[in-house]
Amino acid sequence: MTFPALPWEFWGTDNLSIISSILGKPLFSDQCTKNRTRLAYARVIVEMEMGGEYPDQITLEDGNGVQFNQKVYYELKPIA
């Protein structure tokens, strides 16, 4: 899955793991995300339930306590 336009403060491995765990079991980030060489989006491989929910956005909170909606794009989704 990818998180487009994810704020810079969330790009650390621990933060990406916490964010991804909202949706499933985080497995790993791709090399461009780890090296921060592609900043348009962060990409994380996450194991999710086949029949589970696939929300288009999740609510995150920054270090100042401000909440915002983060879009989520899935490269693969099961066909319903």
Side-chain angles (χ1 to χ4, degrees):
M1 73 185 49
T2 62
F3 300 105
L6 183 69
W8 185 250
E9 68 185 273
F10 294 101
W11 277 67
T13 304
D14 291 340
N15 284 333
L16 285 172
S17 181
I18 291 167
I19 293 167
S20 300
S21 67
I22 295 169
L23 301 165
K25 178 183 174 186
L27 301 177
F28 57 90
S29 300
D30 74 344
Q31 202 63 32
C32 290
T33 300
K34 285 181 188 176
N35 295 336
R36 300 177 186 191
T37 55
R38 175 199 55 241
L39 302 178
Y41 59 88
R43 183 172 181 237
V44 182
I45 307 302
V46 178
E47 185 178 303
M48 298 177 69
E49 294 291 326
M50 279 274 274
E53 293 184 33
Y54 291 79
D56 294 330
Q57 62 183 9
I58 56 175
T59 302
L60 300 178
E61 187 173 307
D62 69 13
N64 297 319
V66 177
Q67 291 187 346
F68 66 95
N69 291 323
Q70 173 62 52
K71 291 184 186 237
V72 181
Y73 293 124
Y74 303 91
E75 294 177 31
L76 295 171
K77 268 189 188 178
I79 297 173

